Amino acid sequence: MMKRITASISVLTWGGLSRYDIDAKRFHNYLKPGFSFLNMPNEVVFHVKMWKDQVYISARNGVFRLDTRTQKFHKLNVPSAYYQNFDISPDGYLYLAGWNAVYHMRVDQTDSIARLSLEQSGCDATPTRLLATNEGVYIGTLGSGLFFYDRQKHKLTHYTQEKTQLPSNYCYNICRTQDGKILITSDKGVTCFTPGKETFTTIDLMSNFPSAHIINGCGILPTTNGRIFVGDTQGVTVLSEDEFNKSDSYNDESNFYFSELWVNNQIITPGDKTGIFSHSLPYTRRLKLSYDQNNLIVRFALSNYAQQLSEQWFQYKLEGFDKKWIKTKQTELHYTNLNPGTYTLHIEAINQNGIPNGSKEITMQLVIASPWYNTWWAWAIYIIICTTFIFYYVFSKMAKQRLALSLEKERFEKQQIERLNQEKLVFFTNVSHEFRTPLTLIISHIDILLQKHSLNPSIYNQILKIKKNAQKMNNLISELLEFRKLEQNHETLSVKQQDIILFLKEIYFSFADYAHQREITYTFGLPETPVLCWFDSSLLEKVFFNLLSNAFKYTPNGGSITLSGEITDDAIRIHISDTGIGISQQDATRIFTRFFQGNNQEKNGSLFSGTGIGLALSKTIIDKHHGEITVQSEIGQGSTFTVTLQRRKDVFLSDENVRLAVQKPETAIVPGSLPVLPDGDSLSAEPAGFEDMKDKSHTLLLVEDNEELLQVLVDLFSPFYQIICAHNGKEGLNQVYENKPDLIISDIMMPEMTGTEMCLQLKNDIDFCHIPIILLTALNSTEQNIEGLNRGADDYITKPFHAQLLLARANNLIRSRLLMQHQFDKKPISEIDLTSINPLDKDVLKRTVQIIEQHIDDTEFDVSVLCREIGISRSLLYAKFKALTGMTPNTFILNFRLKHAAALLQQYPDIPISEVSDRTGFSTPVYFSRCFKNQYGCTPQGYQKEKKAEKR
């Protein structure tokens, strides 16, 4: 390779770099014997480039720059490698071709070199030629096609024979024309690439000159006058750039057209007797043929100069017949026995690699008509005739039969439904009567058990729950019988004027805990002022309990339920709204029918079960009250039940089934149940069985907003307890925080804070959850009693209550705690029944036992370590243990060690006393013996001998 340097030419050889002085006509060799190769190219020089009067050389020992003025070499700071080709862009970027990579940098900043890897683009060949431009660099390879690296976008584009019109993946040389096009030589000829359009145009020189072959190393040189010199094995071929713009280049749109059409071996011409087409075939794009013109020969032509130089390939596809494109060299297509239908013939010219060469695709639509007997309208007539005949035949046979049976079937279905309902009612009524006797006996025996004062509180509560459920069964039976009586007008309503707001609020609070448990937003939207209304509370209570039960049953966790209403002078409308699953419009019209249960039966974990008569009974009761019950609902949105009740008395005066009850003053205590001395001086007469409570060592907190009832309760309990009083739940909480009572008796309905809310706060507070709580309420149904026990209260008593019963219940709770404390003193905790205490307290006790067991042999273990590991304060631990076990924490730990020691002595009769002392955490055997004797009344040795004697 030679490069001109002013008046000289640089010559690259395998013997080093030489310079030929044109004026002097002599050679100058830079490589001389004995010279060092450290700062100049060695004998193997790969490439040389002139840029801004500087000569850049790549040799086997590196890349160098030759200053033409001083004739001195400067070695560039680039990675050590063989760079057989490089190029410099006009704006001064140097690109070096390495192994599977190209390195690029600015000529004046060789320390900021960057590497461009070609392996990530699937290149497994070494770059052979580089062409640098201001936009980037073109990279030619032997086997991997052409690459272009966009320096601004840092994007590498890969052109291959398979993906583009590049004729070959072997790119020998690359250069650029004056108008910016890229010329590429390959084994397929010379290709012109237009960067803006990204099109390739190839001239196959070997097809025109078979003896001339382009191989690797052959050069190419474009001149300013548009001529191109291409080196080959036979010399130099000269081309003009205009050759790439003629019609014989592969990317030009050629005159591609259909030339002839044969139908059933007969040539078709425009306007002949067949009438297939009237214009010339090249200008016809749609042919309509009859069903018997289905044997076709189609000929086409391509006026392309390239066909004269090389073989031309085509591909065609008859859409609707062929599944894929078919390659051919022929210009004639044959199709026989085509079925009726619409086809589209596609033909396009392709190159030898199967890639379209840019010629415009030609298409023609072929429509072959169906015979008249196979057309769509013929088949429509066939279907209409057959359908009409079948329909007429079937209809004539069944019309009279349907007409005759329809009325009879309807009449029979009504009779069956009515008879079935009556049989259900009779059956349930008869069975209910049979259930009542055994249920009455069960409840009676349970009452006898509940009267025993020696019952453990946990057993007492379990028996109480049995009684509640038995009463619930009894109430369900009563409900069924009551429904039957109401339906047949056999029951008389006993209505009286009452405060319906207070009545509804009591029912509302029965579900408050259940709503809190399921995280349901539960709202009472009625005014707090009293509203007088005439109603039978025992019957109306069933209505609202049923409606609220259904609301909770079908409302998912996290939903909302609202009890609201509007009040007028004549009536009150009460709305119970929920965000449950809703009721369909079809079910809403039948929801108040007896024994009807809708399709939406999601229970959402509800505690309430249905019988199918609840809403029917509710409607019957509301109708008896001369009211109205309606429902509005939407599937997925919820339901709203509205109950309208009359407030005027005259509505009931003419009703034979309504009795106006005489108003009686209400009392919270059953008359005659208070203990009274003969002189009536006080209430301090001592009930039988309460002698052990006279020391008044326990504190009782009474929470009641009614001053009169509060005073009665103070008089009732003051002989046995130290009394603390509060008038609402908030004040009661403050008294608990300040005085820490041993027992709490609280009303539910109170201002500022209800008894339920106070109970929930205390039972969820680790400091006070051990305090027993008794709740008092005016609600007395079975469901309400169960709800009260579920609130976390230890006992639940309805008003009016028997004074002696309340006193006995309170004393039993205290006595049960004392009994449990006595058991802690004698038994292991695993043998003690902890079901009656709060889960938080139970957890503290269990964790305490586990920690003591872990440190049973640790003499340093004390209350401080125990408090730290449990995570509570010393004062709280002291108060908690004193209330639950009757012992201080120190005494509890000592008692636990001694019980463990007794178990060891009993299990291992021959074990030394000193070993028992060590294994139970005592500092000395003497201290252990003294503590053991105080606990069990004998020394460890005596206890050991006694156990040995028992085993013999």
Side-chain angles (χ1 to χ4, degrees), residues 435 439 442 467-479 782:
F435 280 161
L439 279 175
I442 291 172
K467 178 182 177 181
K468 301 297 184 183
N469 284 282
Q471 288 177 337
K472 182 175 181 180
M473 290 182 63
N474 195 27
N475 290 339
L476 289 174
I477 294 172
S478 300
E479 185 178 90
T782 303

Side-chain angles (χ1 to χ4, degrees), residues 368-385:
I368 301 178
S370 300
W372 69 268
Y373 53 83
N374 197 30
T375 57
W376 67 269
W377 51 267
W379 279 102
I381 293 174
Y382 304 154
I383 294 173
I384 291 173
I385 293 174

